[in-house]
Amino acid sequence: MMKKFALAAVALSTLTALAHAEAVTVYTARNEQLIKPLFDAYTRETGVEVRFVTDKEGPLMERLKAEGKNTPADMLMTVDAGNLWQAAHEGLLKPVASKTLDANVPAHLRDPKGQWYGLSVRARTMFYNTQKVKPADLSTYENLADPKWKGRLCLRTSKKVYNQSLVATMIAEHGAARTEKIVRGWVANLATAPFPDDTRMLEAIAAGQCDVGIANTYYYGRLMEKQPRLPLGLFWANQKTSGTHVNVSGAGVTAHAKNEKGALKLLEWLSGPQAQNLYADKNMEYPVNPKVKPDPAVAAWGDFKHNYVNVSKAGELQAEAVKLMDRAGYR
């Protein structure tokens, strides 16, 4: 009898050790409400436990740096290509090769060196007061610098990474001199001081404080879900030119991952159909995988052409974008 107990104990110990060996640890800037259902689904499907720590992207990256080779993190997950680029630039991620990821994530939405991959698409476009502006009056981000919008434009603060990424992409397309002229035009057309977040800016447009502004679509989706009668319209910017600015939330395998193989498998799964539906729908974003359709409420906004400048430019040119916005008086 004692021998059986001993064998059972050994077997249990071996299984426990195996389970721990297979577990994947994720540091994530996405909130728990969004990512826990995904990780739970992965565990149900594969039997692999996903442990995670949530925090802002800055503290998570500092933690990775401080922990160095001793970090328990196998994957870093965050929003905005600028943050992902920064993590890679600081040596916190390692390149991986995966035919699955290359097939599921379009080339402009991933790091060219394979250090991180987009997992959802965030479109930053134009919104307008439907009682004061007609869609025919709108065209491009650049056109919002035209004097016809003087005293009619609202923007979110330049301190937020989303507008920094937009301006960085414009630098990649137009060069610094022309981009600065455009941003100076935006500042000259402001109806009021920039807003701390997209939602307050959209509410200001709906209230008539200004006529038009630039925001991420999911903020619009959340607001209209609560107040469907607001006089707010969505306009896909730059459809006859370079396409609407897009950014990503995404993830990469950490430089000192103990379970690199497990992290890669999780990353591949997150880019697949099942996870893409859960991941994008929860936050009213767009799936990064072109084979997966967006949530019906998001699809109702209509198809649009992306800007195909690689999103890594948002990080590469972010410091220059911040300096440019400062010179232009955009606060």
Side-chain angles (χ1 to χ4, degrees):
M1 181 64 74
M2 288 300 291
K3 187 176 181 181
K4 287 184 179 178
F5 278 131
L7 288 172
V10 169
L12 180 60
S13 173
T14 302
L15 286 172
T16 303
L18 184 61
H20 286 171
E22 290 179 341
V24 178
T25 301
V26 180
Y27 283 3
T28 174
R30 308 231 68 180
N31 66 51
E32 181 170 344
Q33 183 183 359
L34 175 67
I35 45 92
K36 189 174 185 305
L38 278 164
F39 294 157
D40 287 347
Y42 185 70
T43 300
R44 283 195 299 273
E45 187 174 313
T46 65
V48 176
E49 180 188 0
V50 180
R51 302 164 183 165
F52 62 93
V53 173
T54 59
D55 204 336
K56 299 288 186 184
E57 56 273 3
L60 288 177
M61 285 195 265
E62 288 303 318
R63 184 168 174 168
L64 275 173
K65 279 188 242 178
E67 291 172 343
K69 293 180 180 178
N70 297 319
T71 184
D74 302 305
M75 177 187 289
L76 174 67
M77 174 184 283
T78 185
V79 297
D80 197 277
N83 292 325
L84 291 161
W85 181 90
Q86 191 65 35
H89 185 66
E90 295 184 9
L92 302 177
L93 303 176
K94 69 167 66 175
V96 295
S98 165
K99 291 181 180 177
T100 300
L101 287 168
D102 289 350
N104 289 346
V105 184
H108 70 292
L109 303 175
R110 52 183 155 92
D111 176 42
K113 297 179 180 175
Q115 295 188 90
W116 49 265
Y117 291 80
L119 292 173
S120 65
V121 175
R122 321 180 114 201
R124 191 160 188 78
T125 192
M126 293 156 64
F127 296 88
Y128 62 97
N129 185 308
T130 54
Q131 295 173 347
K132 302 170 75 174
V133 176
K134 295 176 182 176
D137 298 331
L138 299 164
S139 58
T140 66
Y141 305 107
E142 293 84 347
N143 183 257
L144 293 179
D146 189 284
K148 75 176 184 179
W149 297 109
K150 192 167 183 60
R152 303 173 69 189
L153 177 66
C154 275
L155 290 175
R156 184 174 182 164
T157 172
S158 65
K159 293 179 176 58
K160 186 64 186 178
V161 70
Y162 302 146
N163 279 348
Q164 295 170 6
S165 294
L166 170 61
V167 171
T169 303
M170 292 172 72
I171 293 172
E173 288 184 304
H174 303 312
R178 186 182 168 197
T179 302
E180 185 169 334
K181 186 177 179 183
I182 293 164
V183 175
R184 285 184 182 278
W186 289 353
V187 173
N189 288 341
L190 286 175
T192 184
F195 290 82
D197 60 63
D198 280 9
T199 302
R200 291 192 205 178
M201 190 203 69
L202 290 170
E203 289 171 340
I205 296 172
Q209 191 174 357
C210 48
D211 296 349
V212 64
I214 301 170
N216 285 357
T217 54
Y218 51 86
Y219 289 106
Y220 168 74
R222 293 175 194 165
L223 184 59
M224 296 303 279
E225 205 171 42
K226 294 176 183 173
Q227 302 179 68
R229 293 186 177 179
L230 285 179
L232 270 178
L234 180 158
F235 180 84
W236 291 119
N238 295 51
Q239 292 303 282
K240 293 182 179 178
T241 57
S242 55
T244 295
H245 172 71
V246 292
N247 207 318
V248 295
S249 72
V253 177
T254 58
H256 300 294
K258 305 294 186 301
N259 188 3
E260 178 182 345
K261 189 175 178 182
L264 180 56
K265 284 185 177 177
L266 174 59
L267 190 55
E268 289 175 335
W269 184 84
L270 288 168
S271 72
Q274 181 186 351
Q276 282 286 290
N277 276 319
L278 285 169
Y279 196 90
D281 293 357
K282 277 278 183 184
N283 200 37
M284 301 191 84
E285 297 174 328
Y286 289 87
V288 74
N289 187 328
K291 295 177 183 173
V292 180
K293 294 182 178 177
D295 179 86
V298 175
W301 302 335
D303 295 331
F304 67 100
K305 180 175 78 175
H306 288 201
N307 184 311
Y308 288 102
V309 170
N310 190 290
V311 291
S312 65
K313 287 293 180 186
E316 190 180 327
L317 296 171
Q318 198 167 90
E320 187 174 354
V322 170
K323 291 177 186 172
L324 184 153
M325 289 191 283
D326 190 51
R327 286 198 304 273
Y330 180 13
R331 305 292 183 247

